[in-house]
């Protein structure tokens, strides 16, 4: 089976497992796991931030960030496609008691101007606009990305207006291999960043939240109350360290393959439209009258798995376990598919 459902489906390679089994560990609830500490420091340092926090998932790092940045009756501003709005079970309401102020951006991206217009004036009857969350790359936006040129004006606005700025950087490295931008410059633009190790980077578990010391020390308390205080988590952090050293550069291959699949799909008679392919995600709409579930069934008959992203919409995500041979076979299947 060729699995294009997500880049979360990757399994650790034998070298990663070896690195995990050799990890020096301690009790991370006491901050005494040397491998967790090293991973947290390494990612923080990479982006010029003071501290990091290793968590089981990207949902947890985002939820903790929202919690630290806001108080009940505040609101966060984000694009309507955002993961924090769409796919975190309305956790912003449950965990933080805040509202959400949605912007309809372009392929998941919002601008300084749109944010400025969305910030609410202060009245007793209005939520307080406290936090902006942007996503890079934008998952539901078809893997689109912001460049630093687009982020910096947003960052300046947030500073001017006293709003926090959080980056959901689940797939940030898929962006950075495209733009070749400096991690420290990216870090400067945000108050906090969440990065997933379990997506394209290929670790089995884990995300890291980075920010300043005060932010991370508050974040640690919320990680604990969410049940995310883990003990000998160094075995997992070791996978993250291995991924940072070995699996970042290769993300370019995933991006390039996705772009090529996008090109090929554009020429197929069953495709109505396709979101611009910028990183490792391909989202396309089927011609009117075609149904996503039926289309996926056909693909599955040719041993390709993908996910529905709407009644007529399909998503493919490329990743390290989607190898050259699978790539070639997928192209063949897509160009010969009888619909
Ligand atoms: C995957 C993802 C997350 C975090 O998801 P988990 O499955 O909880 O690790 C956050 N944001 C985006 C954009 C994602 O794609």
């Amino acid at each position: 089976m060729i699995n294009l459902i997500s880049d979360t489906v990757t399994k650790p390679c034998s070298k990663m497992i070896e690195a995990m089994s050799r990890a020096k560990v301690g009790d991370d609830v006491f901050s005494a796991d040397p491998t967790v500490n090293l991973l947290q420091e390494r990612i923080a340092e990479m982006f010029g931030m003071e501290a990091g926090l290793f968590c089981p998932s990207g949902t947890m790092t985002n939820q903790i960030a929202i919690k630290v940045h806001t108080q009940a009756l505040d609101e966060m501003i984000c694009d309507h496609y955002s993961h924090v709005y769409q796919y975190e079970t309305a956790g912003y309401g449950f965990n933080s008691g805040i509202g959400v102020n949605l912007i309809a951006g372009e392929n998941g991206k919002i601008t300084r101007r749109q944010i400025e217009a969305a910030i609410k004036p202060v009245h007793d009857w209005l939520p307080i606009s406290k936090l902006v969350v942007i996503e890079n790359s934008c998952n539901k936006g078809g893997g689109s990305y912001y460049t630093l040129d687009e982020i910096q004006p947003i960052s300046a606005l947030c500073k001017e207006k006293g709003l926090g700025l959080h980056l959901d950087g689940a797939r940030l490295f898929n962006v950075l291999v495209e733009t070749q931008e400096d991690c420290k410059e990216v870090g400067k633009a945000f108050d906090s960043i969440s990065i997933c190790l379990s997506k394209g980077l290929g670790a089995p578990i884990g995300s890291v939240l980075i920010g300043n010391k005060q932010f991370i020390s508050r974040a640690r308390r919320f990680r604990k109350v969410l049940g995310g205080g883990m003990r000998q988590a160094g075995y997992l952090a070791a996978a993250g360290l291995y991924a940072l050293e070995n699996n970042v550069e290769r993300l370019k291959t995933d991006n390039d393959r996705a772009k090529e699949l996008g090109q090929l799909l554009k020429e197929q008679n069953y495709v109505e439209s396709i979101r611009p392919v910028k990183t490792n995600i391909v989202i396309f709409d089927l011609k009117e009258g075609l149904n996503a579930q039926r289309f996926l069934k056909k693909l599955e008959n040719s041993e390709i798995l993908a996910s529905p992203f709407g009644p007529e919409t399909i998503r493919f995500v490329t990743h390290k376990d989607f190898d050259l041979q699978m790539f070639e076979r997928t192209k063949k299947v897509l160009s010969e598919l009888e619909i």
Side-chain angles (χ1 to χ4, degrees):
M1 271 292 176
I2 294 175
N3 193 334
L4 295 170
I5 289 175
S6 177
D7 46 9
T8 55
V9 302
T10 57
K11 299 198 176 117
C13 62
S14 55
K15 281 185 179 158
M16 182 181 274
I17 290 175
E18 223 175 87
M20 293 169 75
S21 67
R22 279 198 315 263
K24 290 200 171 60
V25 297
D27 188 335
D28 183 48
V29 171
F30 294 98
S31 298
D33 186 301
T35 310
V36 171
N37 291 340
L38 181 62
L39 173 68
Q40 291 174 163
E41 281 158 26
R42 187 160 297 172
I43 297 193
E45 206 269 328
M46 195 183 257
F47 289 89
M49 296 260 194
E50 287 175 1
L53 186 67
F54 182 56
C55 291
S57 73
T59 298
M60 190 182 284
T61 46
N62 279 338
Q63 288 301 311
I64 290 172
I66 293 167
K67 183 80 186 160
V68 179
H69 282 297
T70 63
Q71 295 196 320
L73 311 185
D74 290 343
E75 69 172 16
M76 68 172 174
I77 296 172
C78 60
D79 183 83
H80 65 157
Y81 280 174
S82 311
H83 196 278
V84 289
Y85 171 64
Q86 296 273 352
Y87 304 119
E88 299 185 9
T89 335
Y92 56 90
F94 186 72
N95 293 315
S96 300
I98 64 163
V100 60
N101 183 344
L102 296 178
I103 296 176
E106 197 183 342
N107 293 322
K109 289 168 60 186
I110 55 179
T111 63
R112 172 187 165 122
R113 210 162 155 213
Q114 289 175 311
I115 296 167
E116 192 159 18
I119 295 173
K120 291 190 168 70
V122 178
H123 286 301
D124 286 347
W125 55 90
L126 293 176
I128 298 173
S129 303
K130 192 58 92 45
L131 172 68
V132 174
V133 178
I134 68 172
E135 193 172 304
N136 214 16
S137 64
C138 312
N139 172 13
K140 202 173 161 67
S144 61
Y145 62 78
Y146 294 85
T147 60
L148 259 175
D149 284 352
E150 295 168 307
I151 292 169
Q152 279 158 347
I154 296 174
S155 175
L157 174 72
C158 290
K159 284 200 176 78
E160 218 173 276
K161 305 278 185 187
L163 275 70
L165 181 58
H166 173 69
L167 172 62
D168 178 355
R171 297 186 177 84
L172 183 55
F173 287 111
N174 285 85
V175 176
L176 296 177
V177 297
E178 289 297 313
T179 63
Q180 297 292 325
E181 288 165 340
D182 180 38
C183 294
K184 293 207 166 57
E185 288 301 313
V186 175
K188 268 187 211 160
F190 294 96
D191 298 302
S192 55
I193 302 179
S194 155
I195 293 171
C196 287
L197 304 163
S198 60
K199 298 269 164 87
L201 291 179
I205 292 173
S207 289
V208 177
L209 180 63
I210 54 176
N212 69 27
K213 277 193 184 136
Q214 194 195 355
F215 179 91
I216 293 298
S217 78
R218 291 194 59 211
R220 276 191 81 87
R221 293 181 60 79
F222 292 126
R223 184 183 68 173
K224 187 64 183 149
V225 77
L226 291 175
M230 299 184 286
R231 302 295 179 174
Q232 284 72 38
Y235 292 117
L236 303 174
L241 285 165
Y242 179 91
L244 285 178
E245 258 153 50
N246 297 282
N247 292 346
V248 173
E249 293 309 318
R250 62 154 312 287
L251 293 171
K252 186 78 177 91
T253 305
D254 299 341
N255 292 353
D256 291 344
R257 286 181 182 156
K259 287 177 199 172
E260 210 176 315
L261 291 179
Q263 276 305 329
L264 185 143
L265 282 166
K266 225 176 256 173
E267 293 155 18
Q268 306 309 312
N269 60 10
Y270 49 84
V271 174
E272 176 67 38
S273 64
I274 177 161
R275 296 188 199 158
V277 184
K278 302 285 189 184
T279 52
N280 68 327
I281 297 175
V282 184
I283 298 183
F284 59 97
D285 294 315
L286 298 168
K287 278 262 155 63
E288 201 177 328
L290 296 179
N291 163 292
Q293 293 299 347
R294 273 207 305 275
F295 181 85
L296 289 172
K297 198 77 222 154
K298 283 231 158 172
L299 276 187
E300 196 174 337
N301 292 340
S302 303
E303 302 190 318
I304 296 174
L305 301 175
S307 40
F309 238 56
E312 298 170 351
T313 309
I314 307 288
R315 186 186 78 166
F316 291 169
V317 187
T318 57
H319 51 77
K320 82 170 177 61
D321 293 355
F322 176 63
D323 61 21
L324 181 61
Q325 202 186 339
M326 293 175 177
F327 176 50
E328 295 301 337
R329 195 148 70 79
T330 302
K331 285 193 288 185
K332 189 165 184 315
V333 169
L334 291 176
S335 53
E336 291 172 1
L337 207 58
E338 301 268 343
I339 301 288

